[in-house]
Amino acid sequence: MSFLIFGAGSFGTAIGVHLARLHKKEIIYLWGRDSKQIHLMQENHENQHYLPSVTFPDNLKPIDNTDIFSAINKVTYIILALPSHSFREIILKFKADLINKNNFIIIILYL
């Protein structure tokens, strides 16, 4: 089982850390739209902005738009852990890449 989480806020990051701890042999991808924040997460192995002091397991890989299309094609499950105000924008941006894939898509919205 492999996972891609759309949303690198506190909720998406917590889901990513949890899944990475459960599935130690799989790479868990955590996508965020802020490339600067993603690069900081890659360097520091934690999300200092939204979930400070929680160290990422080695198999949790923060990614930005440069790696997203490759990740979509590698994973079995895609989790959309997005705030409701950005859900539509993100889905419209990536819908062509999400449609007709053999992925299970799990939607988790929060206000």
Side-chain angles (χ1 to χ4, degrees):
M1 268 191 276
S2 51
F3 297 86
L4 164 61
I5 300 136
F6 275 82
S10 56
F11 191 55
T13 301
I15 291 170
V17 169
H18 178 70
L19 289 172
R21 289 176 180 167
L22 287 176
H23 302 280
K24 295 179 190 319
K25 294 182 181 181
E26 297 288 340
I27 295 176
I28 309 301
Y29 298 97
L30 178 64
W31 174 85
R33 61 180 165 182
D34 183 346
S35 293
K36 183 178 176 183
Q37 179 188 350
I38 292 299
H39 292 299
L40 287 172
M41 291 165 59
Q42 291 168 342
E43 290 175 9
N44 299 320
H45 304 284
E46 71 176 63
N47 188 338
Q48 293 176 333
H49 185 72
Y50 290 108
L51 203 62
S53 302
V54 176
T55 303
F56 290 170
D58 291 338
N59 60 326
L60 181 61
K61 182 177 179 184
I63 61 172
D64 60 15
N65 287 339
T66 58
D67 298 318
I68 190 66
F69 303 110
S70 173
I72 287 172
N73 291 313
K74 290 179 183 176
V75 300
T76 306
Y77 295 94
I78 296 174
I79 299 173
L80 304 174
L82 301 165
S84 58
H85 68 271
S86 65
F87 182 80
R88 178 175 160 74
E89 171 194 347
I90 301 302
I91 290 300
L92 290 175
K93 183 174 184 174
F94 294 106
K95 75 177 180 178
D97 300 291
L98 297 174
I99 294 173
N100 297 323
K101 302 292 182 196
N102 292 323
N103 301 339
F104 295 97
I105 298 177
I106 302 163
I107 301 171
I108 304 171
L109 290 176
Y110 57 97
L111 302 174

